[in-house]
Amino acid sequence: MNQDTTSDFPAGAFRRQDETPDANFYHFPRFVTHIDDAAIEAVTQLYREYFPAGSTLLDLMSSWISHLPAEVAYHRVVGLGMNDAELRANPRLTSYVVQDLNQRPTLPFADAEFAGAAICVSIDYLTQPVAVLRELSRVLKPGAPLVITFSNRCFPSKAIAAWHALDSRGHLALVQRFLEAAGGWHAIQLLDRSPQPAGVSDPLFAVVARAGSALAGE
């Protein structure tokens, strides 16, 4: 049984309007951005703050652009996403993996391989988020940051039912619950990084957490 469909979450929380294989939906590349320029810059600023130069990073649910700061050099950036053409076109990726996390949430990486990870405007599409986040805590070094960002946009047919049922504050709380259910995370922060003044740009929210126990992260 899917370990996310437990009593921790309402029945049907991870269902979607379109339950056809995700590989069909993502078969054709989409060389577009899913949030506007000001929201993208808010994502990039978070990466400046949490991902030091020279780090080895995992861009989970990646695409043709990673929104990493152009002026910062990283040792290695690995992307994992659904479309080969998009990943191949991403200039920041050192290497990439094509994998459907909803079919196979196990990550093909070693324990403590990465010093940071990002999930950008995609957490709402995971049907097994607890399993994926549990795997992420395994592949990150103790104390390494995970930066999860999202806005108020999505592909409605592929977002989980729980996401549709909540507003932005509810989305923050839901992602926190995913992390807590997964275990292996501490120092969870819920952030509103929406560009100001409000309403002139897409909103931008983030949940940041550290891998491992609080003691291990010290």
Side-chain angles (χ1 to χ4, degrees):
M1 178 180 291
N2 180 337
Q3 58 191 318
D4 292 355
T5 58
T6 68
S7 58
D8 290 341
F9 300 97
F14 301 102
R15 292 177 183 162
R16 300 170 300 168
Q17 296 169 14
D18 178 4
E19 293 287 10
T20 60
D22 289 347
N24 297 343
F25 186 83
Y26 294 104
H27 177 72
F28 295 102
R30 295 177 173 88
F31 293 106
V32 298
T33 54
H34 301 287
I35 48 176
D36 64 22
D37 289 345
I40 288 172
E41 178 51 38
V43 173
T44 302
Q45 180 57 33
L46 280 163
Y47 294 167
R48 286 191 186 97
E49 295 172 20
Y50 286 97
F51 300 150
S55 299
T56 295
L57 303 177
L58 175 58
D59 184 10
L60 202 65
M61 307 182 78
S62 185
S63 181
W64 68 283
I65 186 169
S66 292
H67 306 316
L68 293 165
E71 76 279 6
V72 179
Y74 300 99
H75 173 67
R76 179 169 163 248
V77 181
V78 179
L80 186 150
M82 287 288 293
N83 186 276
D84 183 89
E86 291 179 7
L87 295 165
R88 190 169 62 249
N90 188 327
R92 297 307 299 268
L93 299 183
T94 310
S95 61
Y96 66 85
V97 176
V98 177
Q99 180 174 326
D100 182 351
L101 292 173
N102 289 340
Q103 290 294 320
R104 185 158 52 95
T106 302
L107 298 178
F109 308 114
D111 294 357
E113 184 171 345
F114 298 98
I119 302 176
C120 184
V121 297
S122 298
I123 190 73
D124 44 318
Y125 303 126
L126 288 176
T127 60
Q128 302 184 67
V130 173
V132 171
L133 292 171
R134 186 177 294 122
E135 274 288 283
L136 263 179
S137 70
R138 177 185 65 80
V139 304
L140 288 182
K141 299 179 187 298
L146 166 62
V147 179
I148 301 171
T149 51
F150 51 87
S151 186
N152 60 355
R153 295 191 188 186
C154 67
F155 295 123
S157 65
K158 284 297 183 181
I160 60 171
W163 200 263
H164 284 297
L166 299 168
D167 60 12
S168 294
R169 296 296 171 185
H171 295 155
L172 286 166
L174 181 64
V175 175
Q176 181 178 11
R177 285 188 65 194
F178 291 160
L179 289 161
E180 292 170 346
W185 299 99
H186 71 281
I188 299 172
Q189 299 173 275
L190 310 183
L191 306 174
D192 183 349
R193 290 299 187 90
S194 301
Q196 298 300 315
V200 301
S201 171
D202 292 332
L204 197 285
F205 303 93
V207 178
V208 180
R210 298 279 176 172
S213 68
L215 183 61
E218 291 175 355

